[in-house]
């Protein structure tokens, strides 16, 4: 792939996905582009479209398992200041796709704006979080970022920007239907509360995560919960699979729906372990587990 010189200055050839994902797994990406603004993003997308170059967007890389041999085409990382902002105006918050959910939440806490506290501890960006409709499940029900967003600005691969009202986006469980485009920014209208109360709620949501695995690299929950009353983690634990290993990949001892990289796990180790888990859960519970993480080949 021959890239125009503007892009060459704004990215890197052969950047290892190991460095770009929380799993710390993955070979080189053909080109990782870091556009500095909307105009550069448009030029990049038009270039890729004209040359039929595959395009993917990466946020914190917290839900991705990438191939050991790397991936072809362009990966877009929106971590420049043009995409990594949070702006407040009254009860409205506008965030760039590259802002982290933690940055969004910090701004909400400071302004005493309530409604997004459940995002506490989710290691993602605003763009990544919206693309996969991240959220939490509780006994009282599930809540996801798609339930709270007013509107999302996206750029189509033809370079046109459109603003999608939240209500018209087909958000589902860990899905958004926001495909074939790049999320640029999003707007939320929150409830006015006060900083102390919002911080207290954030701490409460963080506390709910204490049973999760944070000590080793992972991509969070590997499988979707089969239903709202049925946790994949519990099904896997009941099969006695905690601590099961394939190569450097291991089912977490802490939360059975996490697979951790104990140091030198490869993509194929994780895929083999996922197959083993699926097989055992099907055998014992008759349930087909579906992957929650994206596998990039
Ligand atoms: N459980 C077990 N064994 C385990 C893990 C969980 O018995 O190894 C039981 C727990 O004791 C609890 C129930 O299963 O009774 C639910 O566990 P947890 O509260 O950890 O929630 P989850 O359903 O496993 C979901 C999301 C998480 C999110 C939490 C927040 C999915 C697949 N997972 O997990 O999201 O953080 O709710 O409450 O929807 C992610 O998407 O990557 C992720 C980690």
């Amino acid at each position: 792939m021959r890239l125009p010189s503007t892009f060459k200055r704004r990215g890197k050839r052969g950047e290892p996905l190991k460095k770009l994902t929380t799993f710390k797994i993955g070979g080189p990406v053909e080109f990782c582009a870091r556009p500095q603004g909307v105009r550069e993003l448009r030029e990049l997308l038009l270039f890729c479209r004209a040359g039929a170059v595959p395009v993917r967007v990466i946020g914190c890389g917290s839900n991705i398992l990438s191939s050991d041999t790397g991936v072809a085409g362009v990966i877009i990382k929106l971590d420049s200041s043009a995409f990594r902002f949070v702006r407040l105006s009254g009860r409205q918050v506008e965030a760039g796709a590259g802002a982290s959910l933690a940055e969004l939440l910090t701004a909400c806490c400071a302004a005493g704006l309530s409604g997004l506290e459940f995002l506490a501890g989710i290691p993602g960006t605003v763009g990544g979080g919206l693309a996969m409709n991240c959220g939490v499940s509780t006994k009282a029900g599930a809540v996801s970022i798609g339930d709270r967003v007013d509107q999302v600005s996206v750029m189509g691969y033809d370079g046109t920007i459109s603003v999608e009202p939240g209500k018209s986006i087909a958000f589902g469980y860990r899905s958004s239907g926001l495909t074939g485009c790049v999320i640029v920014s999003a707007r939320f209208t929150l409830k006015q509360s006060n900083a102390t109360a919002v911080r207290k709620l954030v701490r409460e949501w963080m506390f709910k995560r204490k049973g999760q695995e944070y000590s080793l690299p992972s991509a969070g929950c590997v499988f979707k919960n089969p239903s709202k009353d049925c946790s994949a983690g519990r099904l896997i634990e009941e099969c006695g699979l905690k601590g099961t290993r394939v190569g450097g990949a291991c089912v977490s001892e802490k939360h059975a729906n996490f697979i951790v990289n104990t140091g030198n796990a490869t993509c194929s180790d994780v895929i083999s372990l996922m197959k083993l888990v699926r097989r055992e859960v099907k055998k014992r519970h008759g349930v087909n587990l579906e992957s929650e993480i994206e596998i990039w080949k």
Side-chain angles (χ1 to χ4, degrees), residues 137 173-174 209 212 221 223 225 231 237 242 255-256 292:
S137 336
Y173 172 50
R174 298 297 183 268
R209 291 179 171 271
Q212 293 187 359
C221 286
F223 298 104
N225 285 339
S231 150
E237 177 164 1
K242 278 184 166 177
H255 191 300
E292 202 223 76

Side-chain angles (χ1 to χ4, degrees), residues 121-154:
I122 300 182
T125 56
V126 169
L130 282 163
M132 68 160 300
N133 194 20
C134 69
V136 294
S137 336
T138 65
K139 289 196 179 79
V143 56
S144 311
I145 194 166
D147 301 328
R148 297 284 190 269
V149 73
D150 278 351
Q151 57 179 51
V152 182
S153 295
V154 300

Side-chain angles (χ1 to χ4, degrees), residues 13-296:
R13 246 177 224 283
E15 193 156 353
L17 275 149
K18 233 182 226 290
K19 282 198 181 163
L20 298 170
T21 56
T22 57
F23 234 147
K24 306 280 173 239
I25 292 174
V29 48
E30 196 171 357
F31 189 74
C32 178
R34 293 182 152 87
Q36 301 295 299
V38 168
R39 209 193 62 201
E40 280 187 18
L41 175 62
R42 178 175 296 116
E43 283 169 11
L44 181 67
L45 291 177
L46 290 174
F47 167 82
C48 292
R49 195 161 97 127
V53 174
V55 172
R56 306 171 210 238
V57 187
I58 195 162
C60 292
S62 54
N63 206 44
I64 293 165
L65 173 62
S66 168
S67 146
D68 301 317
T69 50
V71 296
V74 166
I75 285 184
I76 300 175
K77 191 149 171 75
L78 299 177
D79 58 359
S80 71
S81 55
F83 298 104
R84 193 172 180 171
F85 64 86
V86 180
R87 283 188 213 117
L88 302 176
S89 165
R91 291 192 298 118
Q92 284 190 345
V93 186
E94 197 184 351
S100 68
L101 295 171
E103 286 161 348
L104 171 61
L105 206 49
T106 302
C108 293
C109 280
L113 291 172
S114 180
L116 294 176
E117 295 87 347
F118 67 90
L119 296 175
I122 300 182
T125 56
V126 169
L130 282 163
M132 68 160 300
N133 194 20
C134 69
V136 294
S137 336
T138 65
K139 289 196 179 79
V143 56
S144 311
I145 194 166
D147 301 328
R148 297 284 190 269
V149 73
D150 278 351
Q151 57 179 51
V152 182
S153 295
V154 300
M155 186 180 282
Y157 287 171
D158 61 355
T160 54
I161 291 249
S162 58
V163 178
E164 310 287 338
K167 286 196 177 68
S168 70
I169 299 171
F171 287 114
Y173 172 50
R174 298 297 183 268
S175 69
S176 67
L178 290 167
T179 52
C181 62
V182 176
I183 297 168
V184 173
S185 64
R187 200 184 74 190
F188 305 85
T189 303
L190 301 173
K191 280 193 237 115
Q192 188 63 63
S193 174
N194 61 74
T196 311
V198 176
R199 289 207 175 96
K200 182 166 176 274
L201 286 173
V202 165
R203 275 197 303 274
E204 284 171 18
W205 281 107
M206 284 302 289
F207 185 73
K208 291 197 173 97
R209 291 179 171 271
K210 69 177 184 344
Q212 293 187 359
E213 174 67 64
Y214 287 110
S215 56
L216 288 167
S218 78
C221 286
V222 171
F223 298 104
K224 293 182 179 176
N225 285 339
S227 72
K228 73 176 168 44
D229 308 314
C230 179
S231 150
R234 187 175 52 76
L235 297 183
I236 300 166
E237 177 164 1
E238 284 172 3
C239 292
L241 292 171
K242 278 184 166 177
T244 306
R245 297 177 77 110
V246 174
C250 182
V251 175
S252 163
E253 295 278 4
K254 222 171 163 194
H255 191 300
N257 199 11
F258 281 56
I259 288 180
V260 292
N261 176 359
T262 60
N264 56 356
T266 61
C267 178
S268 37
D269 291 342
V270 178
I271 289 177
S272 305
L273 188 52
M274 285 172 73
K275 278 192 189 140
L276 184 156
V277 167
R278 257 199 206 108
R279 199 174 55 233
E280 292 303 310
V281 169
K282 175 74 182 168
K283 205 157 71 186
R284 180 173 171 146
H285 297 287
V287 172
N288 288 311
L289 289 181
E290 201 188 316
S291 175
E292 202 223 76
I293 56 177
E294 258 184 56
I295 300 178
W296 284 9

